[in-house]
Amino acid sequence: MKATIIAISAILLAGSITPFATAEGVPAWVKSNAGWWADGTISETEFVSGIQHLIKEGILTIPPTTVSTETTQEGVPAWIKSNAGWWADGTISDGEFVNGIQHLIKIGIVNVSSSESAPAQQESAIVNDSELIVLQAELDNCAKITKAYDRLNCERNAKLEIIAYEIKSDSQQFQVGPVTYYWTGLDTEGNTFEITSSGQALLNLRILVENTGSDKNEALFCTGPAICNYDITNGDDVYKYSQMDFTNGQVVLKPGEAKIFNMMFGPSIGGGGTTFEYDSAKDYHFRINESYGSDSIPLNLG
């Protein structure tokens, strides 16, 4: 996966310490990404975190190393950053690459024991941050496209991937048949609830949907307020949307594709719509009722 590749690509160093270990088992693709650290694409923090990740996963086996109590080194030495590119282009050996890691352990920059005992959440953060780097790089590469239409199309798709990644990184997931719905909760971008000065309740929802379980196109349907597979209920009353952005009444998802849809609930716009009303004594849910399955998302408006 991209996340794993780039998490590992943060491990980009080599040294000139006396050889003590081998680099057997280091995937060939790690070397192809070594220049990322050398040219500054990956930060020093990601570089060090990636080293610890490699050791934790057993991709690099490092013998016990005593950490010096006298070192005053702060940060990764400049020579390691320089040598990163040398290892990438084959100027120095895999053995020297591994020896450089031991040097960072000796001077206390890489903390092997803390990486081994770090919670899974911390490891996940390393991977996730690295995946974001990949997505940002893909967006940057769009600028190289000379044709305006193709460049804008590339940028639009790349930005959607970044937004989708951010939503999936911090959301509740609701699996309905082959489609996954990602809900980040209120007070996140695109999700707001307010009572206007006139007393009208306004609720804006932004939900990411992804075709995670089908090898064919899947579609979400909502052709109008009166005929829509999505609404809000408080257990007693059902409310239809006031505005939404389904194209031609549906959102079509190709296999593996993710898209975002928005809905607003407020004053009635006719056509079977209803005015959204809020009662603090009741619980509100956003309901999904598609042909492939149903579920409800608790909104926690109170």
Side-chain angles (χ1 to χ4, degrees), residues 114-248:
S114 65
S115 71
E116 292 176 346
S117 61
Q121 183 178 1
Q122 180 177 344
E123 293 177 33
S124 176
I126 294 171
V127 174
N128 289 344
D129 288 345
S130 300
E131 183 172 351
L132 188 57
I133 293 173
V134 177
L135 296 175
Q136 186 60 54
E138 291 177 351
L139 174 59
D140 294 341
N141 286 334
C142 292
K144 300 176 183 178
I145 300 175
T146 56
K147 292 185 177 180
Y149 177 81
D150 291 341
R151 182 176 65 255
L152 292 174
N153 190 50
C154 176
E155 290 175 345
R156 183 180 66 251
N157 292 335
K159 288 177 181 177
L160 175 59
E161 286 196 37
I162 291 174
I163 293 172
Y165 159 78
E166 292 174 340
I167 291 175
K168 288 191 283 187
S169 297
D170 186 24
S171 65
Q172 289 180 277
Q173 299 181 21
F174 297 83
Q175 190 69 42
V176 182
V179 177
T180 302
Y181 293 74
Y182 299 90
W183 162 245
T184 56
L186 286 179
D187 299 325
T188 58
E189 186 172 354
N191 296 290
T192 61
F193 174 63
E194 65 173 315
I195 306 294
T196 67
S197 57
S198 65
Q200 175 62 62
L202 296 177
L203 175 64
N204 293 284
L205 302 180
R206 183 185 72 163
I207 297 177
L208 175 72
V209 288
E210 184 177 21
N211 183 351
T212 55
S214 176
D215 58 1
K216 63 180 181 180
N217 290 356
E218 298 292 343
L220 288 62
F221 288 94
C222 185
T223 59
I227 305 174
C228 185
N229 293 340
Y230 300 87
D231 57 34
I232 287 178
T233 182
N234 59 19
D236 296 321
D237 302 299
V238 175
Y239 301 99
K240 303 295 184 177
Y241 74 83
S242 295
Q243 296 179 16
M244 61 85 166
D245 58 5
F246 278 39
T247 302
N248 298 321

Side-chain angles (χ1 to χ4, degrees), residues 16-37:
S16 56
I17 315 300
T18 303
F20 74 96
T22 69
E24 294 181 1
V26 179
W29 42 259
V30 176
K31 182 174 290 188
S32 68
N33 290 324
W36 281 50
W37 163 245

Side-chain angles (χ1 to χ4, degrees), residues 90-107:
T91 302
I92 58 178
S93 69
D94 288 349
E96 291 171 315
F97 166 78
V98 174
N99 292 335
I101 294 178
Q102 188 180 33
H103 177 70
L104 292 186
I105 295 174
K106 279 184 177 180
I107 63 178

Side-chain angles (χ1 to χ4, degrees), residues 262-282:
N262 297 273
M263 281 191 169
M264 191 269 276
F265 295 83
S268 173
I269 60 171
T274 50
T275 297
F276 181 55
E277 299 176 349
Y278 175 66
D279 182 343
S280 60
K282 297 180 179 180

